[in-house]
Amino acid sequence: MFTQTEEQKISLTLEEFLDWYPDGYEGRFELHDGVIVKMQPTGTHEKVAGFLALELGLEIKRLNLPFFIPRQGLIKAIDSDKSAYIPDVMVLDDNAMENEKMWNKRSTITQGSTLKLAVEVVSTNWQDDYLTKLAEYEKLGIGEYWIVDYLGLGGRRYIGDPKQPTISIYDWFEGEYRVNLFRGQDSLRSPTFPELNLTAEQIFTVGH
């Protein structure tokens, strides 16, 4: 169809993007307003994401919850057929999958209510997590969204001044997100996983 480059000029629809998407382990890609964006996480980024997926998976198993964590999956923007995003970790409601018509063939979620939790681990492009994805996930009505900023890269208006490693947990309340910030020895408070026993520092330690 075409070769993806850093300066891709073709504006794609989601369907065209999914047809192009390479099989296997050739990389992870998102679609931002018709443009393919290759995700290039560092090893440390992947270590933090893997740690969180393991901890959440253990909690799902311990409580026998009807949730699962896919290795990879896309979230379609609610009001565009030209944007789709890959969270670093996503917790899906198995009972809601029958309403996801694009999942079995395309590994794509279209209903915010299917997602119990989306997690983004911040890299140098922190604006994607705090601006683009925060707005998109809120519009979709995803019940809970974590921004794990283990290097304190985000804007001061999001994580405070001076900047420091921060975990922002957004939860859905009366039609919009509200946020709680966690640092140091703060114990995370997750509406989806209220018994989760994890401090911010435990997560930050994985990233150092």
Side-chain angles (χ1 to χ4, degrees), residues 143-158:
E144 187 173 346
Y145 173 39
W146 296 9
I147 301 178
V148 179
D149 194 347
Y150 66 94
L151 293 175
L153 298 173
R156 291 176 178 83
R157 63 189 179 279
Y158 298 107

Side-chain angles (χ1 to χ4, degrees), residues 165-167 182-188 198-205:
T166 302
I167 296 173
F182 301 88
R183 306 181 181 96
Q185 296 303 318
D186 294 342
S187 293
L188 271 58
L198 197 60
T199 67
E201 190 60 36
Q202 284 177 285
I203 298 168
F204 299 151
T205 299

Side-chain angles (χ1 to χ4, degrees), residues 98-122:
E98 63 183 22
N99 299 318
E100 292 291 352
K101 306 305 181 185
M102 296 182 67
W103 178 255
N104 286 340
K105 291 185 177 180
R106 299 296 203 175
S107 299
T108 300
I109 295 297
T110 62
Q111 310 292 320
S113 57
T114 303
L115 280 120
K116 306 302 293 185
L117 170 62
V119 179
E120 298 288 358
V121 179
V122 176

Side-chain angles (χ1 to χ4, degrees), residues 25-124:
Y25 295 86
E26 296 182 37
R28 290 188 297 178
F29 303 88
E30 294 185 335
L31 187 66
H32 293 196
D33 196 24
V35 177
I36 294 173
V37 177
K38 184 173 183 179
M39 315 306 290
Q40 295 180 308
T42 64
T44 304
H45 175 284
E46 292 296 272
K47 187 178 178 183
V48 172
F51 172 78
L52 289 169
L54 176 61
E55 290 293 320
L56 294 171
L58 289 171
E59 193 71 354
I60 290 169
K61 183 176 181 180
R62 183 180 74 85
L63 296 173
N64 195 29
L65 297 170
F67 306 156
F68 69 98
I69 300 174
R71 186 187 67 83
Q72 186 170 299
L74 285 160
I75 300 174
K76 179 187 177 299
I78 192 171
D79 54 4
S80 171
D81 67 348
K82 288 183 172 290
S83 295
Y85 309 99
I86 299 179
D88 291 306
V89 183
M90 59 195 302
V91 178
L92 302 181
D93 183 351
D94 204 21
N95 293 331
M97 297 310 295
E98 63 183 22
N99 299 318
E100 292 291 352
K101 306 305 181 185
M102 296 182 67
W103 178 255
N104 286 340
K105 291 185 177 180
R106 299 296 203 175
S107 299
T108 300
I109 295 297
T110 62
Q111 310 292 320
S113 57
T114 303
L115 280 120
K116 306 302 293 185
L117 170 62
V119 179
E120 298 288 358
V121 179
V122 176
S123 299
T124 51

